[in-house]
């Protein structure tokens, strides 16, 4: 270690002798370099200084090119995602009608047949209705005229009024009222006017997938075992065909209809189970947000605000939360008991409470909570 240090010192001395710099000139040059370094550091920090800068901001800045690429890819591939959802759902419905329904009518009791027909068609209608409404319904956008709204902030990207709970969507390139997120599977933003349709679609699609997975479990086991027997018999048939004599005949093979039936059942069960797990987790996540009266974006904002106020010894309160039960009533638009049937269990195109521009107390809320951010 000492030999390396001595070698480094000798090289530096030789370099200084080559430059023919005196002692005073060397110290003067070092001071100038140090001053330039501090001056450049000060200029850089003054240009980039932000009191809210932290690790998250730095990561967002580094990943900004990736965000830009994802936004543009999502914008152009939204139609493909919608077609994929419609195609996969239609394939499952076709398999149920062509393969499973005749088997159900032949083997099940009349009571179970009525149950499957009633629940299956009700669930299918709810999925189709809410998906269509989520795609075609605009999430809601604030007015562009600055004179129509007063006392609101201005969006720095579209230079337009930005009411409370409004956020700018980089994919749609405009502000969205009560924005939750941009969903590529809808090719649309999820906002104030179609948030209920989006959640209802996720809920009923998850229920339908669970229903298909549970009711088709026995059929899946039989179909999977049949496919394994197909592979084994096909292997035996090839071996017999290779050594075939006049006294040997190959074992019988499955018909095309049988192969298609068993593979369709396996495809249905695997797809429904996968969607039930993935979409079920997403549905539970949004259910928790609705219970707290938050959107996906507000969850991150409120978390940072809660941490900031906690350091000051204060308590954060969400001004848009009215309690778990009342939050669900506001979200679903339930103003009276019969609305649980007409607006929740049946297709309903009713509008949500409010216009998304202001957030007054809904009439279905039993008691008003103090709308304070901190106390």
């Amino acid at each position: 270690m000492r030999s390396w240090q001595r070698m480094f010192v000798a090289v530096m001395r030789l370099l200084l002798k080559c430059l023919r710099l005196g002692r005073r000139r060397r110290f003067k040059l070092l001071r100038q370099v140090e001053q330039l370094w501090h001056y450049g550091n000060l200029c850089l920090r003054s240009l980039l200084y932000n009191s809210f800068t932290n690790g998250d901001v730095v990561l967002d800045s580094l990943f900004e090119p990736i965000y830009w690429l994802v936004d543009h890819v999502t914008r152009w591939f939204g139609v493909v995602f919608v077609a994929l959802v419609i195609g996969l759902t239609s394939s499952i419905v076709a398999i149920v009608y062509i393969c499973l329904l005749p088997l159900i009518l032949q083997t099940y009791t009349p009571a179970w047949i009525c149950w499957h027909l009633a629940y299956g068609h009700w669930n299918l209608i709810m999925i189709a209705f809410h998906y269509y409404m989520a795609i075609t319904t605009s999430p809601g956008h604030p007015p562009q005229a600055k004179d129509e709204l007063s006392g609101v902030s201005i969006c720095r990207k579209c230079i337009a009024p930005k009411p409370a709970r409004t956020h700018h969507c980089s994919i749609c390139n405009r502000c969205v009222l009560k924005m939750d997120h941009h969903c590529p599977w809808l090719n649309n933003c999820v906002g104030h006017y179609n948030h209920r349709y989006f959640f209802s679609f996720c809920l009923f699609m998850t229920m339908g997938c669970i229903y298909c997975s549970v009711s088709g479990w026995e059929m899946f086991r039989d179909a999977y075992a049949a496919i394994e027997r197909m592979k084994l018999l096909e292997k035996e048939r090839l071996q017999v065909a290779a050594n075939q004599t006049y006294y040997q005949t190959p074992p019988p093979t499955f018909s095309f209809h049988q192969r298609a039936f068993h593979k369709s059942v396996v495809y249905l069960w695997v797809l429904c189970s996968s969607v039930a797990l993935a979409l079920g987790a997403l549905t539970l996540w949004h259910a928790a947000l609705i219970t707290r009266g938050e959107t996906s974006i507000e969850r991150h904002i409120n978390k940072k605000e809660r941490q900031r106020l906690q350091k000051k010894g204060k308590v954060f309160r969400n001004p848009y939360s009215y309690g778990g039960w009342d939050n669900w009533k506001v979200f679903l638009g339930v103003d009276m008991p019969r609305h649980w049937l007409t607006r929740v269990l049946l297709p309903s195109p009713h509008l949500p409470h409010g216009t998304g521009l202001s957030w007054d107390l809904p009439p279905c809320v039993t008691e008003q909570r103090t709308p304070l951010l901190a106390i």
Side-chain angles (χ1 to χ4, degrees), residues 50 57 64 153-162 167-168 175:
N50 188 345
V57 176
E64 189 65 28
S153 60
I154 302 298
C155 178
R156 63 179 182 178
K157 295 183 179 180
C158 58
I159 316 301
K162 186 179 179 181
H167 299 279
H168 186 88
C175 286

Side-chain angles (χ1 to χ4, degrees), residues 337-351:
R338 64 181 178 86
H339 286 167
W340 289 104
L341 174 63
T342 59
R343 293 187 174 185
V344 179
L345 298 181
L346 294 177
S348 175
H350 65 278
L351 297 176

Side-chain angles (χ1 to χ4, degrees), residues 117-158:
L117 290 177
Y119 179 81
H121 287 89
W122 169 78
N123 204 340
L124 179 61
I125 291 173
M126 297 297 285
I127 291 173
F129 170 79
H130 287 103
Y131 189 66
Y132 174 79
M133 294 299 293
I135 292 175
T136 58
T137 303
S138 172
H141 307 284
Q144 298 296 316
K146 300 180 181 179
D147 298 335
E148 297 184 19
L149 295 174
S150 59
V152 297
S153 60
I154 302 298
C155 178
R156 63 179 182 178
K157 295 183 179 180
C158 58

